[in-house]
Amino acid sequence: MQKENPGTGSTQKSWWQTPWAYKESLAIVTGLVFVGWLLQINIGVFNYDIIRFPVNVVVFACVFIFVSLLSLKPKVPLFNWLSGIPLSVSTIAALLLMSLIMGLIPQVPPAAHSHSLTGFDAVTRSWAFVLVYFLTIVNLACVVARRLLHFSWRDYAFYLNHIGLLLMLMSAGMGAADLRRYVMYVEEGNTEWRVYNDDKEVLELPVAIKLNDFYMEEYIPKLAVIDKNSGDAISKGKPQMIQIDTLQPTFNIAGWDIEIKEYLHEAIRNSDSTYRYLPMPGACPAALVTATNRKDNTAQTGWVCCGNFAQLYMTLGLNEQLSLAMTRPEPKLFRSDIVVYTESEKAVSHQLEVNKPLSIDNWMIYQYGYDVDRGRASSWSSFELVYDPWLLWVYIGLWMFVAGSVLLMWEGNKKKGNKDIPQVNNDDVKELNNNS
Amino acid sequence: MITWTHFIFFALPVMVCWLLAVLSVHLLKRRGWAVVLSLSGILIFAAFVALMWIGMERPPMRTMGETRLWYTFFLSVIGFVMYLKWKYPWILSFSLIVASVFILINLLKPEIHSKNLMPALQSIWFVPHVTVYILSYSFLSAATIAAIILLYRYRKQDPDTQLAAFTDNLVYIGFGLLMTGLLIGAVWAKEAWGHYWSWDPKETWAFITAASYLIYIHIRLRESKPKRFTLWLVIISFLFLMITWKGVNYLPSAQNSVHVYSQ
């Protein structure tokens, strides 16, 4: 027993003699991966378009009928194998190995339409992955069916986890075929229905968006001491950048004591070297600062400004090599005031922000981008439109799985000995005895 | 009105309560005292959060310091509940000590002003996503230590079925927390980035980690005594977990990951 390879199960049983256990399961899954690679090399990556609606629904209806028919004869060896732990472990192991390839080798984006012969740089589109994914779904469906045949309320955590995962795997798989994502660019005041897909082709959608207003807030910028020649922040490799804070107006950067005398978040240049407050498009942050060198006590006072598309930046010379400069402000919030018109003749007004998408019919609309050069003065905003008719099912599965996971941490492993294993038939018990 | 300036008057009693709770559970072996003391600390802390919420007229979730308040709160509450349920003293002390570290950071380096958090990170899912993971890591680290002890004892032909059952339990709890964190992340991703799962390198490694623990859990269903291979799975899974947590940032495949933040 000690010498036995734990992955292969019982030693007493010869190959392919039922009930199939680890040896046979691992062999079949390996064979499936091999078949996948042969297909890969001969016909290229799997084209998800072939399982688009309604094909995916037909495929899953077939799985449902197949599993239901098997459930009528639960003692058939095939059903035992398909609903057994050895197959589950083998499929999960195969998915794990393929994900390892995915995790180590940089993947090409789907839009690139290029991949290596092996498909190692496009694992989720490789035949081997798709075939094992499908076998996992069949396996999981059989596992659920077998437990449902011996239904017990005591198994609620099992049902939540396994049915939740099954729903997620199925609808995410279908979603992968039916999911569409587009990017739309809209000028302020305009209404747009033309979008770009991943291939940068222009398409017309049954959804139109009007952009009433684009609004943006920026964080207060930071100050840094830079090298006049190279423009690099001091110290090199570990640049010190300190955020301006009017409540704590004195701080130190790289040996210079900085005092913020005045900070204007929206400023325009008043003269050659001064700024004044004026909220208008094209205004940018500016600060009046005094920098004192700690060693020789020399001090410089002047305005610094980060500049933008409309104004030049301003730095404060500290000595022959160094200047004090202000960084461009980082975005804090950007929001588009939009109206969405749908085919179903809805007109929905919404304030669209990152993390606050709009869900309408089977569409999700996201704040995507804006004119980064113009920042707050951007005259356009862009939106990502994602069409996913299977999203509801993903969410149902997901929250079932969350509930199952919470129960898992609450109940832990209830198993005492082997009491909790569903003892479905005698073959199973025999296999169990052989294993232990 | 309660503001950050009053934090120290709440923070010190909280930390004293928790320190005494840790001492009474480990040195004095007084479970009752530990329960009362940890709960008192949690209530005092909750009072501060609630009063500040009322004072600011908005939930305290906007700055880094405010985010740390929630880390402290959830770590102590979940750790406390887990202790009541599972009675492992280390989980109480671990969560209270880590929770206190977040309090100390808030006292010593108060970032009470708005932090430059990029818009996608400004989400109510941020705090639960991170807190649940911190706790998951603690359980799975403990499981790894238990597996190493079991492997070591294997050589001495001294199978410890009780420790094996304990290891299973730690993996179950840690895995439950891990999945909760992962799925919360998926919900957040859908809201922020448009898709619940995009095989981002961190997601890929999270999947690898989950698959690895899942194999352990399923193999263990049919074993009364864990084999060496099965015990090694706990250690390998933990290595995957560490790669997911920290190692991913250094992989060539992770150059464009949304999970790699410049520090």
Side-chain angles (χ1 to χ4, degrees), chain B residues 39-55:
Chain B
L39 190 62
S40 319
I42 291 170
L43 290 177
I44 298 170
F45 196 81
F48 175 75
V49 176
L51 289 170
M52 211 164 93
W53 191 328
I54 295 165

Side-chain angles (χ1 to χ4, degrees), chain A residues 95-107 120-124 129, chain B residues 199 201 204-205 207-208 253:
Chain A
L95 288 175
L96 190 157
L97 289 175
M98 284 188 274
S99 313
L100 269 179
I101 296 173
M102 208 186 316
L104 292 171
I105 296 176
Q107 301 289 296
F120 284 174
D121 55 356
V123 173
T124 53
F129 182 85
Chain B
W199 296 104
T204 304
W205 281 94
F207 178 85
I208 293 167
S253 51

Side-chain angles (χ1 to χ4, degrees), chain A residues 55 113 204 225 246 248 264 282 320 358 412:
Chain A
V55 177
H113 297 293
E204 291 190 1
V225 174
T246 46
Q248 290 172 296
L264 305 173
E320 280 172 13
L358 169 67

